[in-house]
Amino acid sequence: MTMAGEGNQSIPNNSPTAAAEAASAAAASAPGPHPEDDDENASSVIPESIRELLPATLSRLTAGLPMHELDIIIKEATACEDALEREIEILERELGIDAKQKKADDGRRGDEEPPPAPSSPLKEPTMISIPLLPLPYQPGGEPGKGHVNYLDSVDAMLTTEFAPPDRYFTVSALLGRLRDPMKLPYPPNSRLALKKNATGPGPKGKKGDSPEQEKKKNRLALEKQRALILLDKNEIYHREQPDTAALLTLYKKIASHRTAAVFRKPVNPAEAPGYKERILFPMDLSLVRKMIVARMIKSFSSLHQRVGLICHNCVKFNGRESDYAVITRDFEDYVDDKVLEAVKNASKNATSAETATAGVVAAAPAAAGTLASK
């Protein structure tokens, strides 16, 4: 299995960067409000602090995904962006927004005109090729062919539970791993959104949080994302460990999380119909441990990426707003904390060792001189 980031082969068309850029474009086009981090950005769909981090964050999440999976992300993201643009055009027509006036307004704001949507129907990925999606997602298309990848009426958009990013499982899995405040809005008529509104926020967003507390929480979350992005430039993160001790220690911490039981064993396809068709590269924590012991995983980055594949598979199969996706985001948040902690401690130990070595080297000539004088 070829994983992104392994080896020196350059594959620009399905690289993590290309996949991240495609998914980022689809995410930026998605309608709906995002958490605002300051009043200055109150009128933006996506605040600048999130917009600048989004491509790098998506690129980080694609690290370690198989090349075939990256190729699917690029194709799905292209189709998703096209569907979003077409549905937005339908909504604008219904609202009476004049296309020429909109273009003039965009020009006054200094926005670049988006490239025109392809006029020919998208053939890949076709919605019909993705398991468990209902046929109404091909309105007006030839039955069973999936020629149309967008909803062609406002009524259909208002009643669906799936926005375009949710109709493509692979790109939805990537976007579904984003956490607050970068997380995309809930899809229309999302059952999870209704459930959350009925029960109140979870432990990390306790009811009664003041705007200041919410703003601080979002700021800390973005700082953590910046730290995770910078990991890729950290030599300790990628350094091959001399033995399995440090990696097994990190693995034990990861496997001790309250939600880790969900990921400890391989998924039984008999209990999850369609799993084999949708998940081509299965991964679980028991396999990760075997790979550490067998020295197939030799660095913190490799371990981090394999756990990322576990999370990607779970969200891809269950949907980005399923209960399992919520568990996955909680688990991956914890994993990121433990990886950052492990790299920080390893960096401190490496610095201490280098300082001690430098001290010994510096003292050697003096010691030699003392012995010679005697």
Side-chain angles (χ1 to χ4, degrees), residues 191-211:
R191 284 168 290 186
L192 187 63
L194 296 174
K195 180 179 176 182
K196 182 175 181 180
N197 290 336
T199 60
K204 291 196 173 184
K206 294 180 181 178
K207 198 171 182 179
D209 278 355
S210 67

Side-chain angles (χ1 to χ4, degrees), residues 15-28 46-63 70 73 174-175 178 182 184 222 225-226 228-229 232:
S15 66
T17 301
E21 287 175 352
S24 180
I46 301 180
E48 185 61 32
S49 59
I50 293 177
R51 186 182 293 274
E52 68 181 13
L53 283 177
L54 190 57
T57 299
L58 290 171
S59 181
R60 181 183 70 81
L61 292 177
T62 60
L70 297 177
I73 289 174
L174 182 60
L175 300 177
L178 294 171
M182 304 182 78
L184 291 182
L222 292 178
Q225 286 303 319
R226 292 186 182 96
L228 288 166
I229 291 167
D232 191 52

Side-chain angles (χ1 to χ4, degrees), residues 91-342:
L91 288 169
E92 288 175 343
R93 282 200 301 269
E94 186 72 17
L95 293 170
I97 298 175
D98 183 75
K100 292 182 180 179
Q101 182 62 41
K102 181 176 181 291
K103 182 178 179 181
D105 292 343
D106 288 344
R108 281 198 295 270
R109 288 197 299 267
D111 297 336
E112 293 183 4
E113 184 179 354
S119 56
S120 58
L122 291 167
K123 294 183 179 179
E124 195 170 358
T126 56
M127 308 271 280
I128 199 68
S129 67
I130 303 175
L132 306 183
L133 267 183
L135 285 177
Y137 290 115
Q138 295 86 41
E142 184 180 348
K145 298 296 183 182
H147 281 176
V148 179
N149 72 323
Y150 61 95
L151 299 179
D152 57 3
S153 73
V154 174
D155 288 340
M157 294 179 211
L158 293 175
T159 56
T160 183
E161 289 186 19
F162 300 96
D166 300 288
R167 299 177 206 159
Y168 296 91
F169 292 117
T170 311
V171 73
S172 179
L174 182 60
L175 300 177
R177 290 169 63 195
L178 294 171
R179 301 187 292 272
D180 287 334
M182 304 182 78
K183 183 173 168 290
L184 291 182
Y186 290 110
N189 305 312
S190 167
R191 284 168 290 186
L192 187 63
L194 296 174
K195 180 179 176 182
K196 182 175 181 180
N197 290 336
T199 60
K204 291 196 173 184
K206 294 180 181 178
K207 198 171 182 179
D209 278 355
S210 67
E212 290 76 16
Q213 289 172 320
E214 189 69 22
K215 188 180 292 187
K216 180 180 179 181
K217 184 171 66 175
N218 290 342
R219 178 175 55 79
L220 292 174
L222 292 178
E223 287 177 1
K224 178 178 173 179
Q225 286 303 319
R226 292 186 182 96
L228 288 166
I229 291 167
L230 289 174
L231 272 181
D232 191 52
K233 299 179 180 178
N234 190 315
E235 190 269 336
I236 299 294
Y237 180 60
H238 297 288
R239 178 184 292 178
E240 183 176 314
Q241 296 296 312
D243 52 47
T244 63
L247 295 175
L248 285 175
T249 297
L250 175 57
Y251 170 84
K252 289 176 183 177
K253 290 180 179 178
I254 289 171
S256 69
H257 190 252
R258 63 182 181 277
T259 64
V262 175
F263 310 105
R264 282 195 189 124
K265 296 180 180 179
V267 173
N268 183 352
E271 298 174 357
Y275 192 83
K276 277 187 174 181
E277 291 75 20
R278 195 179 301 175
I279 306 301
L280 303 179
F281 306 95
M283 184 65 63
D284 63 89
L285 288 176
S286 68
L287 181 55
V288 168
R289 190 184 189 283
K290 290 175 183 176
M291 293 175 74
I292 294 172
V293 173
R295 299 292 285 158
M296 296 175 69
I297 291 177
K298 300 180 182 180
S299 65
F300 292 127
S301 62
S302 184
L303 173 55
H304 200 187
Q305 289 170 6
R306 295 314 183 279
V307 176
L309 180 57
I310 294 174
C311 298
H312 175 84
N313 288 344
C314 186
V315 181
K316 180 177 179 178
F317 182 73
N318 294 285
R320 72 180 177 99
E321 296 306 341
S322 64
D323 290 337
Y324 278 109
V326 175
I327 291 172
T328 300
R329 285 190 286 271
D330 188 26
F331 173 68
E332 191 165 18
D333 188 44
Y334 174 82
V335 171
D336 288 345
D337 283 336
K338 294 306 168 186
V339 170
L340 286 169
E341 179 184 289

